Amino acid sequence: MNNLLILPVLIPMAMGALLILFQRQPKVQRVLSSLTVLALLALSVYLLLFVYQNGIVTLEFGDWSAPFGIVFVADLFSAFMVILSSLIGAICLFFGFATLSKEREKFYYYPFYLFLMTGVNGAFLTGDLFNLFVFFEVMLIASYILIVFGGTKYQLRESFKYVVINVFGSILFLVAMAYIYGITGTVNMAHLAVRNAELGQSGALQVSAIILLIVFSMKGALFPLYFWLPKSYYGPPSAIAALFGALLTKVGIYAIIRMFTLVFNQDIAFTHTLILIMAGLTMFFGVLGAVSQFDFKRILSYHIISQVGYMVMGLGLFTKTAIAGAVYYIAHHIIVKAALFLFAGVTQRITGTTDLKKMGGVLGTHPLLGWMFFISAISLAGIPPLSGFFSKFPLILDSLTGGHYIIGAVALIVGLLTLFSMLKIFIYVFWGEQKHTQAQAEIKVGTLLLPIVPLVLLTIILGFAAEPMFTFSLQVADQLLNPSVYIDAVLGE
């Protein structure tokens, strides 16, 4: 059964390579890519169930035992992230069928889409630092192609910052790995945890930890390294923007949580306090950017920044309840953020713009679209009984009961400002006087809404099923806070 771990990486990689041969046959590419993402989704569900029932699963490539060989590891956290990535990958792909032009499809869209999924899933499952770097690069190279997909002047100009910051981050990643390997003689994460405990997290190891925090903060768009994100995510088509907004920053957040629960957990008074401060500043400045905007997609882009702050807030608090809240919040945000970006694409299809001041009255002509957006919007803001409330509640409660009143107050204020900005979208876009033409009002969007329905249903289900979801999140947090379980599974001790 351990060979199951390679499939979430092998399947999209092999199919992506195969689809290059069908460049001029979009129908074939659609069918094969559809089968691929559905197979990935089914496989990821089975993988999580298997890990849940049998414990952490490892795969040693070439029968080379850790820490000398390449190893994949699936614990509850990584298996759960693979499910979320597979779900969003499938939904954004099907949305793209109805929105992307056939001309764009010819430029290797589907191969690079699957290569990006390869990198994301590989980053979640890898058990060593070097291969985390490799899968980051696979993901980023694919994203460089997808983010300029369509080749508009705006995309080419604004994505330049995205490429430069990520190339610089990759260089820093290699520098940090060189330091770590030079000190510890290993890049296997479980072995690193053992060596770090033996050597003590001080001196060069502490410096390496901070460099890695900077690298992953660039990927995850944490303060002050988020400046590249809002304009970069504004340019691509909505299907790609939704995929990026939901998934790519979460790979960086996953890496931070993994490394600072498993490896760099010897000096939490310094590292995790720093993470907590970054979380508060990320939330605050991100939501200020969202409040100041009057463009649908730019507001959503800034909210990616503000919301990742909640995720690392849980890590900074470093309690079982807080980390469980962070895991819950990651699931909530991936689902809701993808839905909101796709709604932005649907309204743009109707009105021809994302400028709030040029929009209005969409609720009157497309009521289902309006109310589905409203549910997702108030969920993002944290209104009960939806998933946004129950994922934020443990974070804020733990911060207040633990004496971290400032970060708790910031989280509450950011929640209110998030509600304000989402209501601004609803009022400008869906309420008020109709500003689009009658011909635009008659545009049918049922096929566009169909892929988004599961996301809206999931944010409702995750709210009403808060107790079992939080129970599962506590189990994930328990594994993360007991690294010996992970170490024993990998090293066989």
Side-chain angles (χ1 to χ4, degrees):
M1 291 303 298
N2 294 24
N3 292 328
L4 187 68
L5 293 190
I6 191 60
L7 295 181
V9 175
L10 181 61
I11 290 174
M13 181 179 68
M15 187 57 69
L18 178 64
L19 289 182
I20 293 174
L21 304 176
F22 297 97
Q23 176 197 0
R24 300 189 180 278
Q25 300 178 51
K27 290 184 179 180
V28 174
Q29 293 194 74
R30 288 187 179 197
V31 171
L32 292 179
S33 58
S34 298
L35 293 174
T36 302
V37 295
L38 291 175
L40 277 178
L41 183 56
L43 177 66
S44 62
V45 172
Y46 180 74
L47 176 62
L48 180 61
L49 290 174
F50 187 83
V51 172
Y52 187 80
Q53 293 170 355
N54 299 279
I56 296 175
V57 181
T58 64
L59 172 63
E60 296 171 343
F61 288 84
D63 205 26
W64 282 81
S65 60
F68 305 106
I70 296 172
V71 61
F72 272 16
V73 186
D75 61 354
L76 288 175
F77 188 34
S78 58
F80 186 50
M81 294 301 292
V82 171
I83 276 189
L84 294 171
S85 71
S86 301
L87 172 68
I88 299 304
I91 286 174
C92 291
L93 182 78
F94 293 134
F95 186 85
F97 290 164
T99 54
L100 291 173
S101 65
K102 291 183 178 179
E103 190 63 32
R104 285 183 170 182
E105 288 180 325
K106 293 179 181 179
F107 292 100
Y108 303 100
Y109 169 70
Y110 295 107
F112 281 104
Y113 191 101
L114 294 178
F115 291 150
L116 185 135
M117 297 301 300
T118 300
V120 171
N121 289 341
F124 292 149
L125 291 173
T126 186
D128 71 81
L129 200 56
F130 180 77
N131 281 295
L132 179 63
F133 168 78
V134 170
F135 285 118
F136 261 73
E137 292 308 300
V138 172
M139 176 188 75
L140 290 171
I141 290 171
S143 72
Y144 297 155
I145 305 299
L146 294 175
I147 203 167
V148 297
F149 200 68
T152 66
K153 290 182 179 180
Y154 180 90
Q155 283 177 270
L156 295 172
R157 183 179 72 247
E158 295 302 331
S159 62
F160 180 74
K161 290 182 288 186
Y162 174 81
V163 174
V164 169
I165 192 70
N166 279 291
V167 169
F168 181 67
S170 297
I171 294 170
L172 281 184
F173 200 159
L174 287 173
V175 170
M177 263 198 301
Y179 274 122
I180 290 171
Y181 186 76
I183 298 164
T184 65
T186 184
V187 289
N188 180 280
M189 292 181 188
H191 200 211
L192 274 174
V194 174
R195 298 291 289 136
N196 193 37
E198 292 171 349
L199 297 170
Q201 188 178 314
S202 59
L205 269 177
Q206 188 76 297
V207 172
S208 302
I210 298 305
I211 294 175
L212 280 180
L213 179 60
I214 292 170
V215 170
F216 298 144
S217 296
M218 289 179 183
K219 315 294 186 184
L222 293 177
F223 178 89
L225 302 168
Y226 59 75
F227 62 89
W228 56 269
L229 187 147
K231 290 185 177 180
S232 297
Y233 282 18
Y234 174 79
S238 294
I240 298 172
L243 183 71
F244 282 18
L247 283 187
L248 294 199
T249 53
K250 310 312 176 298
V251 180
I253 300 305
Y254 169 86
I256 293 174
I257 294 175
R258 176 66 73 194
M259 293 301 294
F260 285 87
T261 55
L262 176 63
V263 180
F264 300 114
N265 55 11
Q266 306 295 314
D267 188 12
I268 60 173
F270 173 70
T271 54
H272 290 64
T273 300
L274 176 61
I275 289 170
L276 196 61
I277 293 169
M278 292 175 68
L281 293 172
T282 302
M283 285 190 284
F284 184 70
F285 285 104
V287 82
L288 286 185
V291 168
S292 66
Q293 297 297 313
F294 276 86
D295 184 276
F296 201 150
K297 289 176 71 173
R298 284 183 178 166
I299 291 174
L300 298 180
S301 297
Y302 274 102
H303 272 310
I304 296 172
I305 299 166
S306 68
Q307 303 300 306
V308 297
Y310 285 99
M311 302 167 202
V312 291
M313 173 185 170
L315 176 63
L317 293 171
F318 207 63
T319 65
K320 185 175 178 178
T321 302
I323 290 180
V327 172
Y328 198 160
Y329 199 87
I330 288 172
H332 148 76
H333 187 262
I334 286 175
I335 290 166
V336 171
K337 182 57 66 176
L340 290 171
F341 265 105
L342 296 180
F343 284 132
V346 178
T347 56
Q348 187 175 13
R349 170 65 66 90
I350 296 168
T351 63
T353 183
T354 57
D355 186 342
L356 299 190
K357 296 179 180 179
K358 298 178 181 178
M359 305 167 81
V362 175
L363 185 65
T365 58
H366 298 82
L368 180 60
L369 166 62
W371 292 118
M372 285 174 64
F373 168 82
F374 183 76
I375 292 170
S376 303
I378 62 173
S379 180
L380 185 74
I383 303 300
L386 301 171
S387 61
F389 173 79
F390 291 105
S391 56
K392 285 181 182 178
F393 181 73
L395 294 168
I396 296 172
L397 180 65
D398 195 78
S399 65
L400 297 178
T401 55
H404 300 280
Y405 301 116
I406 294 177
I407 191 71
V410 170
L412 288 169
I413 292 169
V414 169
L416 289 173
L417 292 176
T418 302
L419 178 62
F420 169 78
S421 59
M422 299 315 292
L423 288 178
K424 178 169 73 174
I425 293 176
F426 187 74
I427 290 169
Y428 272 88
V429 176
F430 297 97
W431 210 254
E433 179 185 353
Q434 178 180 326
K435 294 184 179 179
H436 49 286
T437 65
Q438 189 58 36
Q440 290 173 318
E442 294 174 0
I443 293 175
K444 304 296 183 183
V445 295
T447 55
L448 299 182
L449 293 179
L450 191 59
I452 316 177
V453 170
L455 298 177
V456 178
L457 291 177
L458 277 173
T459 192
I460 296 171
I461 292 169
L462 289 180
F464 282 96
E467 183 177 357
M469 180 60 194
F470 191 66
T471 300
F472 172 78
S473 299
L474 285 171
Q475 292 176 290
V476 176
D478 189 56
Q479 275 193 354
L480 290 172
L481 290 173
N482 291 279
S484 60
V485 179
Y486 185 100
I487 294 168
D488 290 345
V490 175
L491 300 181
E493 297 177 0

